[in-house]
Amino acid sequence: MLVLALDTATPVVTAGLVSLADSPRALAVRAHDGRRHGELLMPAVRALCAETGRTLSEVGAVVVGVGPGPFTGLRVGIASAAALGHALGVAVHGVCSHDALALAAAGIDEPGAEHPQGGPGNLLVVTDARRREVYWAAYDPAARRLSGPAVEPPERLADRLGELAIGTVVGDPAFADRLGVAITGPAAPTPAGLAGVAAAALRAGREPEPLEPLYLRRPDAVEPTGRKRVTA
């Protein structure tokens, strides 16, 4: 099966064509760092097709990261994935973007795979939530999620690293000082990681769950409580 994998939950716009023949294998990848999700995503998809000589009509499923992430970036990726799935008549599977990051960091194809290549202890994934906070989730060495995703200041999370038995931290390196630990790559989900999270469901032909973005925050906008006078 040919899978189109998309993610816009981080500042990196990620798109890839992934073969799911045996284990998820990326045929082509586009990753642009620039926060211009709306401008970069669909040109990246077209570039993938040109590079591989494939057409979108060959895509058997779409996998999209649903966060956690900021509202503007997430809605670009999720809306694009939903539109492509509808146009192509294929299923669209939403996956936690941090799950895909954990898979790539652990060096395995699917959650729970044997002989993970990660370091000792559990794995922590952190990404930028803005407002001086991080999105985070904790995983065992086989990339099975143990806790999260959640959002909070990195200083508060730092107090629980021992409790979570964290051995390796991956994601946004900008938070290394505030967490008091080294943060290694990858900083964004990989297409193979996104497809790997959904691989079991794709192979079984399961119906996808509704696409629900993981904002983890209430919206900033609020309904006005009364009318403002416009005359003196």
Side-chain angles (χ1 to χ4, degrees), residues 37-221:
H37 302 86
E39 298 173 49
L40 296 172
L41 184 59
M42 291 312 298
V45 172
R46 290 194 292 269
L48 293 171
C49 294
E51 179 180 338
T52 60
R54 304 291 189 96
T55 65
L56 284 177
S57 62
E58 296 176 66
V59 169
V62 179
V63 176
V64 61
V66 296
F71 177 78
T72 302
L74 277 189
R75 66 180 179 177
V76 169
I78 293 173
S80 298
L84 284 167
H86 178 74
L88 299 172
V90 299
V92 181
H93 289 260
V95 300
C96 175
S97 302
H98 281 192
D99 291 358
L101 260 163
L103 269 188
I108 56 180
D109 295 325
E110 300 178 35
E114 295 181 2
H115 308 300
Q117 300 171 8
N122 292 326
L123 174 69
L124 181 72
V125 175
V126 293
T127 57
D128 188 3
R130 302 177 188 174
R131 305 183 194 174
R132 296 180 59 79
E133 293 184 324
V134 291
Y135 297 117
W136 67 271
Y139 299 82
D140 71 9
R144 291 174 292 226
R145 197 184 331 152
L146 302 171
S147 185
V151 59
E152 63 184 318
E155 293 83 1
R156 189 181 305 165
L157 175 59
D159 293 337
R160 295 208 304 281
L161 294 184
E163 169 194 333
L164 295 167
I166 299 302
T168 303
V169 184
V170 301
D172 193 327
F175 294 96
D177 288 343
R178 295 176 64 196
L179 278 172
V181 294
I183 299 178
T184 60
T190 64
L194 292 162
V197 176
L202 290 169
R203 291 195 183 100
R206 293 202 295 266
E207 284 294 315
E209 298 290 329
L211 292 176
E212 295 288 347
L214 294 170
Y215 296 131
L216 303 189
R217 286 194 183 116
R218 295 179 62 83
D220 291 330

